Amino acid sequence: MPISWFLALRFLREGRAQSALIVLGAAVGVAVMVFLSALIGGLQTSLVAQTLGTQAHIVVRPADELARPMLRATAATDVLARVERTAQRARSIDRWQHVLARLSHMPGVTAVSPVVAGPAIATRANATRAVLLIGAEAARFAAIYPIRRRMVSGGYDPSRTGCVIGRELAADLGVSVGDKLRLSTGGESSEMYTVEGVFDLGNREVNRRWLLVATRSAQSLLDLSGGVTSIELRVASVFEAESIAAAVRSSTGLVADSWMQSNAQLLVALRSQSSSSEVIQVFVILAVAMGIASVLVVSVAQKRREIGILRAMGTRRSTIVSVFLLQGAIVGVVGSLVGAGLGAGLGAVFAGVARNADGTPTFPFAISWALIGRSSLLALATGVLAAALPARSAARLDPAEAIRNG
Amino acid sequence: MVEPVVLLTDVSKSYGTTIVTDVLRALNFRLEVGEFAALIGPSGSGKSTLLNILGLLDRPTSGSVCIAGVETTTLDDAALTGLRGTTLGFVFQFHHLLSGLTAVENVMMPMLAAKGRRTRSMEQRALALLDRVGLRSLARSLPSQMSGGQQQRVAIARALVMGPPLVLADEPTGNLDTKTADGVFALMREFNVEQRVAFLMVTHDPRLAARCDRTIELVDGRIVADRKTTTAP
């Protein structure tokens, strides 16, 4: 065993009570960090998951139509014109199969679903509801939304004359699986559809508005045969959605909206949550560092004479420095191990005690080895840095003076 | 001719810049291999300063200090530390063992400092020395579990573990009762005779000084007397 390890361990063992206290201090600090990070991480993950349960990560659609004036002003003439905005009709993406192929090969994209969507009226007996008609290939659409896991009755795989609706819409129209309803769009066309499934996506508005049909049904109802109005994407890492959307925009020339754009406020909230947790962690680390430093400063003062003797017996200055740095490091590592266990235990207890009515934890925890590793590394660095000052003063002791006066 | 263990030439030491205090004034003296010398003198005569300079814990203001043939005044701190570890042993008045280490670990300490890491053979050597000073049975005890005399014996074993040519002892018996002091002194004498280790021992005890080969008396930073003892034991 190297001499510095030997002495560091002996010094820590000799000052048992001090060592235990300071390890405990570091442990509490790390526990707070692990607990707080896990709590905030868990909350954020569940918030994002909730938001993204009824929203595609990226929606790609054609650009809005713009009215272009026929006459342009020249040097000689002025044109007085009032250009009216164009009413936006449902339009298909040009050569969408080509776009689809390109999008599905983009890095980071895990699922793509062409969608034909537009407004429609659902009627049953004398009940009428405005709905959002969504035609999509079931397997692809289910890869974007967790719809198949959220079926209340029936299944999601609509036939040519079948539709799948949300729980609220089913209640409003008084229908259940097997019942028929009439769908009409602005024009003359109207068709009878059979309810083949009822879903609950956990969002009242979505449950009331969405009406899912097969692609062909929507194309014929919306008069868009062969076309799709948008392509929806799912990405591997949700926070990269915006950069992927930007890549989509530049490679296809289409409009690509990421969930991050449409939920800017949520993102601001998440960010401020993260930064407030970081501020708290910085102060916790500072407190831990000061605790370790103060104990080691006292230890150097108590051991002045012994350090002098060690120097007299031929111990190098660098060895004395490492003895104290090692003590800081050992305290940091042991403290972080104890603290990580403490934080994880606290989280588990917390998650177990506070539960929602449906049995899911009120505070979802996201504890990971990465989080524990990061906290431990931080505690190790804190310990070594905190020990730097006491170590330096120990190495600078004048041995003759230290031996004489203690 | 054998190189002396200590050779001081015109060594002076003064403290302070505005008010200069001369502690040692142009000392010249040599200590031969295997000599056992007592350093006596009233308090404030410069004994401790001289011992610190010989122990390479302090540097002289002027003059040259040769330890075991090595001129030390030009060496840097790291070289002094190395030389101190291999050529000098220290025994202090209050034994100064490391309180968190067992007897055998204390004895091993100079070897650890020189080598940088702990090995099996170090422990063997330390145990053999503890056996030699009669404390084999207390090898695993902490200093707080030993008597003053026992602690001083451990300190002597520690001072000798590197086989240094010179041991500096600062009132090694000053804290012990007469009987224990005699035992500790006898132990040092044995090592001196057996292993030809030179000793320079600061003492206030004229009885012990009389039993050394030589007595050097320091007053006001000057050597006022340096005589061979005729009745060495």
Side-chain angles (χ1 to χ4, degrees):
Chain A
M1 186 191 288
I3 178 173
S4 41
W5 274 94
F6 173 71
L7 286 173
L9 289 172
R10 285 309 145 93
F11 280 4
L12 283 173
R13 195 181 71 175
E14 197 189 356
R16 260 178 224 103
Q18 273 178 5
S19 310
L21 274 176
I22 190 58
V23 165
L24 202 68
V28 169
V30 172
V32 167
M33 276 166 53
V34 167
F35 179 74
L36 203 66
S37 305
L39 178 64
I40 298 236
L43 280 176
Q44 296 197 340
T45 311
S46 85
L47 256 176
V48 170
Q50 247 169 40
T51 306
L52 294 180
T54 56
Q55 205 170 22
H57 296 172
I58 299 172
V59 177
V60 181
R61 59 181 172 82
D64 284 347
E65 284 180 300
L66 292 175
R68 277 180 288 268
M70 298 287 285
L71 292 173
R72 287 177 187 283
T74 63
T77 56
D78 283 334
V79 175
L80 291 177
R82 180 170 168 271
V83 180
E84 289 196 359
R85 293 249 201 115
T86 318
Q88 303 294 328
R89 62 192 166 100
R91 277 184 312 134
S92 175
I93 296 175
D94 286 338
R95 300 176 66 215
W96 65 268
Q97 288 90 345
H98 175 74
V99 175
L100 185 72
R102 185 184 296 187
L103 292 182
S104 52
H105 288 111
M106 283 188 73
V109 174
T110 56
V112 290
S113 173
V115 169
V116 188
I121 304 286
T123 315
R124 166 162 158 103
N126 49 5
T128 301
R129 290 288 182 273
V131 297
L132 177 65
L133 185 68
I134 300 175
E137 198 182 311
R140 282 182 181 272
F141 197 70
I144 307 277
Y145 300 96
I147 194 134
R148 282 194 165 139
R149 280 181 280 129
R150 300 293 188 84
M151 295 305 295
V152 177
S153 58
Y156 171 57
D157 204 359
S159 61
R160 179 65 183 80
T161 57
C163 68
V164 173
I165 60 177
R167 202 167 63 172
E168 264 76 9
L169 184 60
D172 285 355
L173 295 177
V175 294
S176 54
V177 174
D179 292 344
K180 289 191 186 308
L181 49 81
R182 177 173 293 280
L183 280 180
S184 58
T185 49
E188 295 302 300
S189 61
S190 89
E191 289 175 30
M192 294 299 287
Y193 280 80
T194 309
V195 176
E196 293 178 350
V198 177
F199 63 80
D200 177 8
L201 277 176
N203 180 318
R204 224 169 251 279
E205 193 54 28
V206 167
N207 287 348
R208 183 161 279 148
R209 290 265 296 154
W210 282 17
L211 192 146
L212 311 177
V213 294
T215 310
R216 276 177 182 286
S217 314
Q219 284 171 338
S220 86
L221 276 165
L222 294 169
D223 202 11
L224 277 169
S225 52
V228 301
T229 53
S230 65
I231 297 175
E232 308 205 338
L233 309 186
R234 186 176 182 83
V235 297
S237 161
V238 293
F239 289 101
E240 277 166 24
E242 180 49 39
S243 61
I244 294 176
V248 170
R249 277 193 287 272
S250 67
S251 84
T252 63
L254 297 166
V255 173
D257 290 324
S258 73
W259 73 273
M260 297 165 82
Q261 275 175 313
S262 34
N263 292 279
Q265 275 187 325
L266 174 70
L267 276 177
V268 169
L270 291 184
R271 241 173 247 139
S272 49
Q273 215 176 36
S274 297
S275 50
S276 62
S277 120
E278 275 154 23
V279 166
I280 294 174
Q281 294 190 29
V282 165
F283 281 107
V284 168
I285 291 167
L286 269 180
V288 169
M290 285 191 280
I292 295 177
S294 68
V295 165
L296 288 178
V297 164
V298 170
S299 165
V300 169
Q302 287 171 335
K303 298 214 169 295
R304 281 175 63 88
R305 183 170 273 152
E306 298 202 351
I307 293 163
I309 293 164
L310 282 169
R311 296 275 292 122
M313 289 187 310
T315 308
R316 283 184 276 271
R317 273 183 207 278
S318 56
T319 304
I320 302 287
V321 170
S322 351
V323 167
F324 284 90
L325 290 185
L326 269 172
Q327 290 188 64
I330 291 169
V331 165
V333 167
V334 176
S336 68
L337 290 182
V338 176
L342 217 63
L346 202 64
V349 168
F350 216 63
V353 167
R355 283 188 178 280
N356 292 327
D358 61 357
T360 56
T362 313
F363 301 101
F365 273 86
I367 217 154
S368 62
W369 287 111
L371 174 62
I372 291 175
R374 196 190 60 137
S375 309
S376 305
L377 271 181
L378 208 59
L380 170 65
T382 306
V384 173
L385 282 178
L389 219 70
R392 217 170 73 121
S393 74
R396 287 190 168 184
L397 279 183
D398 170 15
E401 201 268 337
I403 293 169
R404 196 175 335 117
N405 302 326
Chain B
M1 193 191 117
V2 185
E3 200 100 54
V5 179
V6 173
L7 181 60
L8 292 192
T9 317
D10 289 328
V11 166
S12 297
K13 178 73 182 177
S14 48
Y15 290 106
T17 43
T18 43
I19 303 166
V20 179
T21 316
D22 294 319
V23 184
L24 298 178
R25 301 159 197 258
L27 290 192
N28 286 290
F29 105 96
R30 57 191 289 160
L31 195 67
E32 305 299 338
V33 173
E35 233 181 338
F36 200 115
L39 182 62
I40 61 171
S43 346
S45 59
K47 301 189 299 291
S48 292
T49 304
L50 177 57
L51 220 56
N52 284 340
I53 286 174
L54 289 175
L56 307 179
L57 296 171
D58 203 350
R59 289 174 187 273
T61 311
S62 65
S64 121
V65 179
C66 267
I67 301 291
V70 180
E71 168 57 57
T72 63
T73 35
T74 53
L75 297 180
D76 65 6
D77 185 74
L80 286 182
T81 303
L83 189 63
R84 199 158 59 218
T86 51
T87 61
L88 294 171
F90 291 89
V91 181
F92 304 97
Q93 179 176 5
F94 297 102
H95 24 81
H96 295 338
L97 299 176
L98 299 196
S99 53
L101 272 54
T102 61
V104 66
E105 286 168 349
N106 264 291
V107 175
M108 280 163 62
M109 221 35 244
M111 291 191 285
L112 260 171
K115 262 259 164 121
R117 58 176 50 248
R118 187 176 176 160
T119 63
R120 271 241 149 261
S121 61
M122 286 182 187
E123 190 160 340
Q124 299 302 322
R125 171 147 173 76
L127 283 173
L129 260 172
L130 276 178
D131 197 24
R132 176 70 187 73
V133 300
L135 291 175
R136 176 73 191 232
S137 59
L138 292 176
R140 308 289 168 198
S141 306
L142 291 173
S144 54
Q145 297 162 327
M146 292 182 266
S147 73
Q150 287 168 337
Q151 290 187 41
Q152 202 59 300
R153 283 168 179 268
V154 174
I156 290 168
R158 181 177 69 183
L160 290 161
V161 77
M162 294 292 287
L166 173 65
V167 170
L168 300 168
D170 192 357
E171 296 191 55
T173 59
N175 204 30
L176 304 173
D177 62 71
T178 319
K179 187 160 169 273
T180 316
D182 282 350
V184 167
F185 180 81
L187 185 64
M188 292 195 290
R189 233 355 185 160
E190 280 169 35
F191 279 113
N192 163 245
V193 172
E194 280 170 24
Q195 299 178 11
R196 303 263 299 148
V197 184
F199 278 77
L200 183 66
M201 177 180 79
V202 172
T203 183
H204 282 124
D205 187 342
R207 237 171 21 90
L208 291 182
R211 287 159 62 185
C212 297
D213 298 333
R214 178 180 165 193
T215 306
I216 301 159
E217 189 175 357
L218 210 58
V219 175
D220 291 337
R222 286 197 180 85
I223 294 174
V224 296
D226 185 350
R227 54 186 177 270
K228 296 268 183 209
T229 316
T230 43
T231 55

